[in-house]
Amino acid sequence: MKKKKNIFIEGAISPEFIAESIAKHQTKMNIGAHNIFLGQVRADEVEGKKVTAIEYTCYKAMAEEKLSEIRENAFEKYDLTCMHIYHSLGTIKAGDICFFVFVSSKRRKQVYAATEDIVNMVKTEVPIFGKEIFEDQDYQWKVNTF
Amino acid sequence: MICIKYFGAIAEVTNCSSETIEKSNSSLKEIIQDIQSRYDLKHIPLKFALNQNIIEAVEEIEINENDEIAVLPPFAGG
């Protein structure tokens, strides 16, 4: 059975939300290692114009399905205690956090490998779209590069 | 009825986020050709999903009543 989790957050992911997520795991005594990946909106410069924000949208039904597959695969492949994925929707300013992956396990090796894998899969397989907005309100559609 | 959904840069060209068509008994390939003839999407690398699953080879797929087709631009999560 696939468990649907709340992954999408309207607006930026706040440092307080991240801190609370860490705090919630302090009761789980079998965890010995956490690893966190945070994606931040970068003020890229394109032909002399700076990106001031990214507006994220998604194909929610498919994105949720894909994310639960990624989750299941990660638990099958790695010895994990916990994993959480959060992604922003809406307009996120440069400098704000838009992507949060939090992986926990008994020991550190598993969490490094799992985090890298999960981040790559979210970027390549989940239908999330981004509009990069410039300072003059012009925009371009974001395409992930690797 | 078949629902077609458009996202991101594609929805901008189609000027709508979804539409319904009466095309049961047709193949996915025919429906995609119909979409491409109505909208100029040549400049966008496209992916197609049928009922939330990415379709790698569109050739032999039959479309049934109430199916949902999505036309997807490049993914940009993260």
Side-chain angles (χ1 to χ4, degrees):
Chain A
M1 193 196 79
K2 283 180 190 169
K3 203 165 107 198
K4 290 258 158 72
K5 302 202 53 159
N6 273 338
I7 284 155
F8 291 106
I9 292 177
E10 198 58 41
I13 299 167
S14 70
E16 292 75 21
F17 179 85
I18 296 161
E20 272 166 35
S21 303
I22 298 167
K24 277 184 197 154
H25 289 76
Q26 294 187 300
T27 54
K28 299 189 178 182
M29 299 303 170
N30 52 344
I31 295 174
H34 297 297
N35 196 29
I36 286 176
F37 175 84
L38 299 174
Q40 176 167 302
V41 175
R42 197 174 50 230
D44 270 351
E45 206 166 296
V46 184
E47 290 163 12
K49 288 192 293 190
K50 239 188 216 152
V51 171
T52 56
I54 298 179
E55 190 188 308
Y56 285 107
T57 53
C58 75
Y59 178 13
K60 210 161 191 180
M62 182 178 162
E64 283 174 347
E65 189 66 28
K66 271 282 156 201
L67 284 157
S68 70
E69 266 175 49
I70 291 171
R71 191 183 162 75
E72 265 185 20
N73 291 341
F75 274 106
E76 263 169 40
K77 196 166 165 190
Y78 304 100
D79 181 19
L80 304 179
T81 316
C82 265
M83 73 157 283
H84 302 273
I85 303 172
Y86 298 98
H87 200 290
S88 291
L89 293 179
T91 305
I92 314 303
K93 293 197 313 287
D96 279 349
I97 304 294
C98 57
F99 184 29
F100 172 27
V101 176
F102 185 8
V103 181
S104 312
S105 180
K106 284 198 181 81
R107 293 172 194 281
R108 77 182 184 286
K109 280 191 180 158
Q110 293 285 312
V111 296
Y112 287 134
T115 307
E116 173 79 10
D117 219 6
I118 293 162
V119 168
N120 285 337
M121 285 192 286
V122 171
K123 281 176 170 271
T124 53
E125 292 179 16
V126 182
I128 297 170
F129 316 104
K131 192 190 223 181
E132 293 176 316
I133 301 162
F134 296 109
E135 41 207 339
D136 61 358
Q137 298 306 306
D138 194 11
Y139 64 87
Q140 69 176 16
W141 290 95
K142 178 176 181 261
V143 176
N144 279 344
T145 48
F146 294 92
Chain B
M1 297 285 268
I2 290 152
C3 179
I4 307 174
K5 295 197 161 201
Y6 303 111
F7 294 91
I10 295 164
E12 212 169 61
V13 176
T14 61
N15 209 15
C16 65
S17 58
S18 71
E19 57 186 350
T20 50
I21 54 166
E22 299 279 355
K23 283 268 179 187
S24 28
N25 306 324
S26 40
S27 70
L28 182 59
K29 193 180 177 185
E30 286 167 331
I31 292 173
I32 289 170
Q33 282 169 347
D34 172 56
I35 294 167
Q36 285 170 327
S37 73
R38 288 188 291 128
Y39 303 111
D40 181 16
L41 300 169
K42 283 192 279 295
H43 59 294
I44 307 168
L46 304 178
K47 278 187 189 169
F48 299 95
L50 175 60
N51 301 326
Q52 290 93 49
N53 291 303
I54 290 286
I55 301 300
E56 303 293 348
V58 293
E59 309 296 320
E60 290 138 36
I61 294 164
E62 282 281 311
I63 296 301
N64 299 305
E65 190 67 10
N66 299 323
D67 275 351
E68 181 175 290
I69 297 167
V71 187
L72 307 169
F75 297 172

